[in-house]
């Protein structure tokens, strides 16, 4: 959880946000390497790297959506409040 | 995410053996399976994995890329120019105790050199390299053992529930007879923290959510 907030702070998202929509957008941008991201969270770093690599080998909207669905932090759940 | 931590089964590298896992109930052995212990934590706890990697890279060093995912490299791109990795290693006098290192969004991940054949122009690795990732050879470490010990100082307040250290750290870091607090787990082939790693100590801690 802390990594998500760190990530959001890193890319300058402040204030009240629509977590559902903005998280999807953030992760899509991450997967497409349109924004940079670094953290000390091993699992997140490896996962995002893997999704970035997968997308770079198949740069389609369908693959982007599949990568997004494979990102467990993008689940629309109460964990994000 | 389900944190996965563990290691590859060891075997005598000087033989033609293979890594195996065993079903203790039947005695059967497998070369293509894994034994997994699934651990349920209380609702208020979470497992977190980390690594100790003593290696760093210099962004100014030669960038190496590979055309395919592989454990055995012949040709690669060095700063965009096609080269045999074996030739690059020999021509630049690269110490093969140093791993290739890739930056995974702030985490440095190693790929260790198993062997280099001048005749076959092939470099065998202990973990695969991936097409699309940029690698550089690690910055030289003047004293491997001392560097490893210094890196451990940053973890002395950690309370790991599990750890395993790479056998290459043991060999190159001259860890025979030495303790590596706070880590006290096995020394293994191919440590795993979400994926196969090399020349890395991996550990797990349990944290409050």
């Amino acid at each position: 959880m802390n990594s998500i907030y760190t990530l959001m702070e890193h890319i300058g998202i402040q204030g009240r946000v629509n977590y559902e929509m903005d998280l999807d957008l953030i992760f899509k941008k991450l997967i497409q390497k349109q924004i940079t991201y670094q953290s000390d969270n091993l699992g997140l770093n490896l996962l995002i790297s893997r999704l970035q690599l997968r997308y770079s080998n198949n740069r389609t909207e369908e693959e982007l959506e599949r990568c997004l669905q494979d990102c467990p932090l993008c689940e629309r759940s109460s964990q994000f409040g | 995410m389900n944190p996965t931590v563990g290691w590859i089964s060891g075997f005598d590298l000087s033989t033609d053996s293979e890594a195996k896992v065993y079903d203790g109930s039947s005695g059967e052995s497998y070369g293509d399976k894994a034994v997994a212990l699934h651990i349920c934590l209380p609702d208020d706890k979470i497992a977190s994995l980390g690594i100790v990697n003593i290696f760093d890279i210099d962004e100014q060093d030669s960038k190496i890329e590979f055309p395919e995912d592989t454990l055995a490299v012949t040709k690669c791109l060095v700063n965009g120019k096609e080269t045999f990795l074996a030739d690059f290693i020999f021509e630049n006098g690269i110490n093969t105790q140093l791993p290739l290192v890739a930056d995974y969004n702030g985490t440095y991940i190693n790929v260790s050199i198993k062997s280099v054949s001048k005749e076959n122009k092939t470099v065998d690795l202990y973990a695969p390299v991936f097409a699309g990732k940029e690698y550089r050879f690690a910055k030289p470490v003047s004293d491997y053992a001392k560097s490893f010990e210094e890196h451990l100082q940053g973890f002395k307040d950690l309370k790991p529930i599990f750890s395993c250290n790479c056998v290459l750290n043991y060999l190159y870091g001259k860890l025979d007879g030495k303790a590596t607090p706070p880590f006290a787990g096995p020394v293994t082939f191919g440590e795993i923290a979400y994926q196969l790693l090399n020349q890395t100590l991996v550990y797990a801690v349990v944290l409050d959510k």
Side-chain angles (χ1 to χ4, degrees):
Chain A
M1 180 72 79
N2 284 339
S3 291
I4 291 295
Y5 294 126
T6 301
L7 184 154
M8 292 174 76
E9 284 165 9
H10 180 79
I11 58 175
I13 292 183
Q14 294 173 351
R16 188 173 178 80
V17 294
N18 178 334
Y19 285 122
E20 227 176 67
M21 184 178 70
D22 288 318
L23 275 176
D24 277 2
L25 187 60
I26 289 166
F27 278 101
K28 278 186 178 179
K29 286 182 178 293
L30 267 178
I31 290 164
Q32 295 174 92
K33 291 189 180 177
Q34 291 174 358
I35 52 175
T36 58
Y37 158 75
Q38 284 199 342
S39 84
D40 57 5
N41 185 304
L42 174 66
L44 205 51
N45 289 352
L46 293 178
L47 175 64
I48 289 174
S49 286
R50 194 170 309 135
L51 295 175
Q52 287 171 335
L53 202 54
R54 229 173 80 184
Y55 176 73
S56 72
N57 290 329
N58 183 15
R59 292 178 186 274
T60 63
E61 193 59 38
E62 292 78 20
E63 185 62 53
L64 185 60
E65 287 297 329
R66 278 193 291 267
C67 287
L68 193 63
Q69 293 309 311
D70 283 351
C71 189
L73 295 169
C74 295
E75 287 173 5
R76 290 167 172 75
S77 72
S78 61
Q79 65 180 304
F80 297 117
Chain B
M1 292 193 286
N2 293 318
T4 302
V5 67
W7 69 89
I8 305 294
S9 295
F11 60 95
D12 189 343
L13 287 174
S14 64
T15 67
D16 283 333
S17 302
E18 295 177 336
K20 297 247 188 269
V21 295
Y22 293 82
D23 179 343
S25 63
S26 66
E28 221 167 319
S29 66
Y30 301 90
D32 61 348
K33 295 192 191 307
V35 176
L37 174 65
H38 295 258
I39 299 174
C40 237
L41 294 176
D43 289 342
D44 61 337
K45 302 285 185 193
I46 190 168
S48 178
L49 307 185
I51 62 173
V52 178
N53 184 358
I54 68 170
F55 295 102
D56 200 355
I57 53 174
D58 183 342
E59 296 282 342
Q60 304 306 313
D61 276 347
S62 295
K63 181 176 74 175
I64 304 169
E65 296 164 285
F66 302 95
E68 57 179 357
D69 302 350
T70 184
L71 278 165
V73 176
T74 52
K75 289 184 181 174
C76 63
L77 294 176
V78 177
N79 296 325
K81 186 180 165 195
E82 191 175 77
T83 310
F84 283 99
L85 184 63
D87 288 344
F88 178 77
I89 289 172
F90 284 117
E91 286 162 11
N92 292 276
I94 290 173
N95 178 357
T96 55
Q97 286 192 2
L98 298 173
L100 289 161
V101 181
D103 183 352
Y104 284 64
N105 291 300
T107 298
Y108 285 161
I109 298 294
N110 303 334
V111 172
S112 301
I113 306 295
K114 187 176 177 185
S115 62
V116 185
S117 168
K118 220 172 188 176
E119 296 73 30
N120 298 334
K121 290 190 185 291
T122 300
V123 179
D124 287 320
L125 307 168
Y126 279 116
V129 288
F130 297 104
K133 293 298 293 180
E134 292 178 3
Y135 295 83
R136 286 173 172 81
F137 274 101
K139 282 200 297 198
V141 174
S142 56
D143 186 332
Y144 198 117
K146 189 175 172 195
S147 177
F148 192 78
E149 199 181 323
E150 283 171 357
H151 273 77
L152 287 183
Q153 296 307 308
F155 296 86
K156 60 184 176 163
D157 294 330
L158 205 69
K159 289 180 172 40
I161 58 158
F162 170 82
S163 70
C164 63
N165 197 3
C166 182
V167 68
L168 292 179
N169 279 341
Y170 176 87
L171 292 170
Y172 301 158
K174 300 180 177 53
L175 295 179
D176 186 22
K178 293 186 182 153
T180 56
F183 306 107
V187 174
T188 68
F189 283 39
E191 53 289 354
I192 294 168
Y194 298 104
Q195 67 180 60
L196 175 62
L197 303 176
N198 287 167
Q199 277 177 275
T200 303
L201 184 150
V202 306
Y203 65 86
V205 291
V206 173
L207 306 171
D208 294 328
K209 269 189 186 169

